Amino acid sequence: MRLRGQRGSRNVEDRRRSGGVGKGAGIGGVGLLVVLAIGYFAGIDVTPLLQDQGGYSQSGEARELTPQEQQAGEFASRVLATTEDVWGEIFPELTGRAYEPPVMVLYAGVTRSPCGDASGATGPFYCPADKKAYLDTEFFVTMSQQLGAKGDFAAAYVIAHEVAHHVQNELGILPQVNQRRQAVGQTEANELTVRLELQADCLSGVWARAVEGALEPGDLEEALNAAKQIGDDTLQRRAGRVPQPHTFTHGTSAQRQRWFALGFESGDANQCDTFGAARL
C-alpha cells in the first residue's frame, strides 16, 4: 500500500510508552496460536491464560518504543487518516451529517477500556462506549507469522474493519444490534454478530475501493487472504476443533471474503445490507 505523502491522523492515543510489557516462555508456537484463536473467535479475554503461562504482563515502567513499534504506529496513523478521508466524503452522503472519526488507541500487551480489558489476546476491537478502536500493533506480527495473513494491506484491512464498526455505531446499527442481542438466545445473538461483522467487512471493501489509487499489485489479494485466515471456520480448525457454525461470531472465511469483495466491487455502502440478505 502506497502511503508516502499520506498525512498521519491526529486521532491516535498511543499508550505503548506507559508501562512496558513482557512475555514469558510458558506458551509458545502452536500453543500460543490455539489460545489466540480461541480468544478471537469466541470473543473472550484469554489474557489470564497467557499470564498464568508466563504470557503478557505489564511492568508499569515507562519505556521507549522500538523502531518496529514506531514504524507500526506511523503506519496505523496513516491508514486511519485514509479512513477519515474516505468516510468524511461517504458518510454525509448516507446521512446528511458530518462524519465524526473514532480515536485509535495503540497499546502494548494490555490496557483498559470501558468495554473491558483490552489485550493482544482478544485482537483489535471497537468499543462503542468511548468510540475508540483498540489495537495492539503486535497483532500485525501475529497476523503475519501465526495466522498466515501477510502484507501491509492485510494490516490496513484490520484497521479499516474496526473503523467500519465505528461507522455502524454512528449509523445507529451497532446499538440496535446490541439491544437485540441482549433479548435473544446465544445462537441467535451469534447470528446477529456474524451479520454485523460481515457488514463491517463489506464497508472495509468500500474503503478499499475508495483508496484504490494507493493500492499496489497484490494488495487486494492480501486483504482477501486476511479475511480468509480470520474466518471462524478457519480459526476453529487451527485451534484443533471441528467448526461449529452455531458458535460463529465473525462468519466463515468464504463469507468474509465475499462481503469484502462486494464492498470493493460496488464501492457502495448501500450494498452492505447483511441484515436484509437472505444469503450470507
Side-chain angles (χ1 to χ4, degrees), residues 58-80:
Q58 196 150 5
S59 69
E61 298 179 359
R63 66 186 183 88
E64 292 298 321
L65 298 181
T66 67
Q68 292 78 11
E69 287 176 316
Q70 291 177 348
Q71 183 178 9
E74 292 172 2
F75 171 80
S77 174
R78 291 180 180 181
V79 172
L80 183 64

Side-chain angles (χ1 to χ4, degrees), residues 2-256:
R2 291 185 291 268
L3 291 173
R4 179 175 296 180
Q6 170 64 48
R7 69 176 178 87
S9 172
R10 295 183 178 181
N11 295 306
V12 176
E13 179 183 336
D14 197 337
R15 301 179 184 177
R16 295 176 298 170
R17 289 185 176 85
S18 58
V21 174
K23 295 181 182 179
I27 297 179
V30 175
L32 176 60
L33 176 59
V34 169
V35 172
L36 290 171
I38 290 173
Y40 189 79
F41 72 67
I44 60 174
D45 185 358
V46 295
T47 307
L49 295 178
L50 294 175
Q51 291 175 336
D52 290 345
Q53 298 293 329
Y56 290 101
S57 60
Q58 196 150 5
S59 69
E61 298 179 359
R63 66 186 183 88
E64 292 298 321
L65 298 181
T66 67
Q68 292 78 11
E69 287 176 316
Q70 291 177 348
Q71 183 178 9
E74 292 172 2
F75 171 80
S77 174
R78 291 180 180 181
V79 172
L80 183 64
T82 68
T83 69
E84 293 167 352
D85 294 340
V86 170
W87 292 112
E89 292 186 8
I90 296 177
F91 192 83
E93 297 175 356
L94 294 173
T95 66
R97 295 184 285 117
Y99 175 64
E100 296 293 336
V103 169
M104 181 169 59
V105 177
L106 302 180
Y107 68 95
V110 293
T111 195
R112 299 283 185 181
S113 86
C115 296
D117 290 348
S119 76
T122 53
F125 73 95
Y126 173 73
C127 180
D130 60 2
K131 297 186 177 182
K132 294 181 179 181
Y134 289 78
L135 171 66
D136 183 345
T137 52
E138 186 70 13
F139 186 72
F140 295 150
V141 179
T142 300
M143 286 180 60
S144 176
Q145 297 183 0
Q146 296 179 330
L147 297 181
K150 299 180 180 180
D152 58 354
F153 200 68
Y157 153 70
V158 169
I159 294 173
H161 179 91
E162 299 311 322
V163 171
H165 283 313
H166 175 71
V167 173
Q168 290 173 315
N169 194 37
E170 294 296 288
L171 290 172
I173 297 171
L174 189 55
Q176 290 177 11
V177 173
N178 284 337
Q179 184 178 18
R180 179 60 181 165
R181 285 191 297 197
Q182 295 173 5
V184 299
Q186 188 62 53
T187 298
E188 187 175 348
N190 287 346
E191 292 174 354
L192 289 169
T193 304
V194 166
R195 290 181 183 271
L196 192 71
E197 293 294 335
L198 294 178
Q199 184 178 63
D201 282 330
C202 183
L203 293 174
S204 300
V206 172
W207 160 81
R209 178 59 175 266
V211 297
E212 189 174 13
L215 301 190
E216 297 175 310
D219 277 351
L220 183 58
E221 289 75 15
E222 289 177 3
L224 289 171
N225 178 59
K228 174 183 177 181
Q229 299 301 335
I230 56 179
D232 284 318
D233 53 340
T234 299
L235 287 174
Q236 289 191 6
R237 289 191 187 96
R238 284 180 180 272
R241 297 177 56 183
V242 175
Q244 302 176 33
H246 70 280
T247 68
F248 290 175
T249 56
H250 289 74
T252 67
S253 294
Q255 289 171 336
R256 300 200 71 169

Side-chain angles (χ1 to χ4, degrees), residues 253-269:
S253 294
Q255 289 171 336
R256 300 200 71 169
Q257 288 181 309
R258 175 174 177 270
W259 282 97
F260 177 88
L262 176 62
F264 181 82
E265 292 167 1
S266 68
D268 182 4

